[in-house]
């Protein structure tokens, strides 16, 4: 009963149009900068691809439906299960974005990596704030709308 789309892109800010019958506005999936540098090496290519397929299929379509909320100290974040891999992510509802914070093995991600997940969340929130500031500055410097005759 859960349906999704699968996309082929693996860019840092990937998104794809929904399949027929899906919501008209897919979530944009973005990744912590440390995913490729750290998580790929720790998981291996095959497990990384399993996680990416689940992200493409589920998080772009309905991250709240497919993910489960986490408890303290990670309250407010979500997890997605993909085989033996867990995906920790944050929803930025104002911009309709899913921020993937960490990919890890189910055996240790919640026991030994909570501090790393919270650190990545802070880095992502700082980036979101900088991007919002930049958008506000851009809007302030744009000529006001309407025709000028």
């Amino acid at each position: 009963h859960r349906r999704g789309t699968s996309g082929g892109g693996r860019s840092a800010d990937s998104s794809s149009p929904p399949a027929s019958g899906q919501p008209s506005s897919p979530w944009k999936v973005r990744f912590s900068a440390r995913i490729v540098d750290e998580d790929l090496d720790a998981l291996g290519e095959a497990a990384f691809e399993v996680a990416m397929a689940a992200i493409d299929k589920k998080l772009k379509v309905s991250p709240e439906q497919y993910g489960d909320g986490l408890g303290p100290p990670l309250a407010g974040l979500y997890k997605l299960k993909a085989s033996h891999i867990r995906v920790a992510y944050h929803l930025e509802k104002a911009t309709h974005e899913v921020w993937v914070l960490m990919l890890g093995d189910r055996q240790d991600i919640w026991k030994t990596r909570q501090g790393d997940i919270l650190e990545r969340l802070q880095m992502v929130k700082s980036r979101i704030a900088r991007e919002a500031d930049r958008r506000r500055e851009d809007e302030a410097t744009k000529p006001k709308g309407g025709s000028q005759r």
Side-chain angles (χ1 to χ4, degrees):
H1 71 292
R2 291 181 176 179
R3 297 182 323 180
T5 63
S6 63
R10 296 286 184 265
S11 68
D13 293 338
S14 66
S15 62
S16 65
S20 176
Q22 293 300 324
S24 61
S25 181
W27 287 75
K28 182 176 184 178
V29 178
R30 299 180 72 181
F31 296 88
S32 163
R34 292 169 53 189
I35 295 276
V36 173
D37 295 337
E38 297 174 24
D39 301 349
L40 173 59
D41 289 340
L43 292 174
E45 185 71 32
F48 185 79
E49 288 299 320
V50 167
M52 292 304 294
I55 289 166
D56 282 347
K57 182 177 181 181
K58 297 177 178 180
L59 295 188
K60 288 180 181 179
V61 177
S62 186
E64 292 174 296
Q65 175 188 350
Y66 289 110
D68 296 320
L70 294 170
L74 302 174
L77 300 180
Y78 294 82
K79 70 177 175 181
L80 177 68
K81 299 174 183 177
S83 182
H84 66 286
I85 305 304
R86 297 299 178 264
V87 178
Y89 63 95
H90 164 71
L91 296 180
E92 192 62 32
K93 293 180 182 181
T95 56
H96 211 63
E97 294 176 333
V98 177
W99 279 89
V100 177
L101 303 173
M102 182 177 284
L103 308 175
D105 189 278
R106 70 174 178 223
Q107 297 297 321
D108 63 31
I109 188 171
W110 311 125
K111 295 175 186 171
T112 63
R113 306 292 309 272
Q114 290 182 6
D116 291 336
I117 294 169
L118 292 170
E119 181 180 312
R120 291 182 189 192
L121 176 62
Q122 290 308 312
M123 292 170 65
V124 162
K125 286 186 174 186
S126 293
R127 182 172 175 184
I128 292 167
R130 286 191 310 272
E131 290 174 356
D133 288 345
R134 193 174 311 120
R135 280 193 300 274
R136 281 191 291 275
E137 289 173 9
D138 289 348
E139 289 298 317
T141 59
K142 281 184 182 176
K144 300 298 180 211
S147 62
Q148 296 179 8
R149 293 182 197 186

